[in-house]
Amino acid sequence: MKNVFWAADSTVQTNDITTYPQTGIGQVFSLFLKEDVSVKNHAKNGRSTKSFIDEGRLNKIDEEIQAGDFLFIQFGHNDEKTEDPTRYTEPFSTYMENLKKYIEVARKHCAYPVLITPLERRCFVDEKHLGIGAHSDYVAAMKQTAEQCNVPLVDLYSMSRNELKRAGELASRKWYMYFDKDEYDNYPEGKTDNTHLRYEGAVMYASLIAKGLTELGGIYKDLLLEIL
């Protein structure tokens, strides 16, 4: 049995009924995996590379991960929060330094680290055009880290932007925690969450990660059902 460990934030976490219908990518990722691959989802809402480490969550993975397992590392949303010193990291210094700590945890156990760039928010400026978002420096920093450390990378950021552009502002609402009054009476009209995902979005973005792993080939492609 191989294990895929996730170290990530709310876009990946496994949710319960208290946050329904919010759904994380790690919560549905087993849909794409072979029967002998298990998901160990340590992702948690609101965490950055820094706070995840400071709370001992990486230590927990360090205790559990074994040779032949995989560590998927996906952060960025909360590392950007300049107003919160418990989470903020500088993209080209502390963010990269932290990513290397995750990579080291995997490698010292002969497991395989994979860097995954952060999912884009639904940052439309009009019906068809996305804004620049807030991830760009963190995406560049993660790509630099992947190159420096010779770690495979799945560019979810670029793929998610392409899907959002293709769908447009209106059609992409169903992927995110965006609610109109006619959907749920307990959500005020116009309440918008352009970051967290619903089931449809989680599955769609998980499929993009699966596509990225397929393109990497070898042991990464071998995790996935052959229909992919």
Side-chain angles (χ1 to χ4, degrees):
M1 176 70 74
K2 295 185 286 290
N3 297 299
V4 171
F5 287 79
W6 282 93
D9 55 33
S10 58
T11 62
V12 176
Q13 78 166 5
T14 297
N15 294 268
D16 58 28
I17 196 62
T18 64
T19 50
Y20 178 85
Q22 183 177 326
T23 309
I25 293 170
Q27 187 173 343
V28 301
F29 198 67
S30 59
L31 293 172
F32 299 90
L33 297 174
K34 294 178 178 177
E35 290 186 359
D36 66 341
V37 184
S38 177
V39 173
K40 306 292 185 183
N41 193 5
H42 289 255
K44 192 67 175 175
N45 181 60
R47 272 53 180 190
S48 68
T49 57
K50 180 182 187 301
S51 61
F52 195 94
I53 292 171
D54 290 346
E55 293 174 1
R57 297 179 186 277
L58 182 57
N59 287 341
K60 183 65 173 176
I61 294 174
D62 194 2
E63 294 170 359
E64 297 178 2
I65 198 166
Q66 298 181 11
D69 288 341
F70 295 77
L71 177 56
F72 290 1
I73 306 154
Q74 182 181 328
F75 290 101
H77 284 81
N78 300 298
D79 287 78
E80 300 163 359
K81 296 186 181 298
T82 56
E83 73 281 3
D84 185 353
T86 68
R87 294 187 285 181
Y88 176 67
T89 62
E90 292 280 353
F92 296 103
S93 59
T94 47
Y95 178 68
M96 293 179 67
E97 291 163 10
N98 287 342
L99 290 175
K100 291 173 183 178
K101 294 176 183 178
Y102 291 81
I103 293 166
E104 174 58 27
V105 164
R107 284 182 165 166
K108 77 177 184 179
H109 293 285
C110 297
Y112 304 101
V114 178
L115 292 173
I116 303 174
T117 55
L119 171 71
E120 182 59 287
R121 293 185 173 95
R122 215 177 62 87
C123 54
F124 284 92
V125 296
D126 57 34
E127 167 57 28
K128 293 185 178 180
H129 298 93
L130 283 173
I132 61 172
H135 296 334
S136 56
D137 281 349
Y138 292 86
V139 172
M142 182 176 280
K143 289 180 178 180
Q144 285 188 26
T145 305
E147 184 175 356
Q148 289 177 7
C149 299
N150 193 26
V151 172
L153 179 137
V154 174
D155 192 2
L156 179 61
Y157 171 77
S158 296
M159 290 189 288
S160 61
R161 284 186 65 87
N162 288 339
E163 288 300 314
L164 286 164
K165 291 175 183 176
R166 178 189 61 77
E169 192 278 329
L170 185 62
S172 66
R173 293 180 183 183
K174 66 180 180 293
W175 297 335
Y176 289 77
M177 290 283 284
Y178 183 104
F179 296 107
D180 293 320
K181 185 68 173 176
D182 59 355
E183 289 187 279
Y184 289 97
D185 288 340
N186 59 324
Y187 282 86
E189 185 174 2
K191 177 178 174 59
T192 302
D193 182 338
N194 290 317
T195 299
H196 301 107
L197 303 173
R198 289 196 255 184
Y199 184 82
E200 294 89 342
V203 172
M204 193 273 291
Y205 290 127
S207 75
L208 297 182
I209 294 174
K211 177 183 177 182
L213 294 171
T214 300
E215 292 171 353
L216 289 175
I219 59 172
Y220 308 100
K221 181 179 179 180
D222 193 50
L223 294 170
L224 304 167
L225 294 170
E226 293 182 4
I227 59 170
L228 297 169

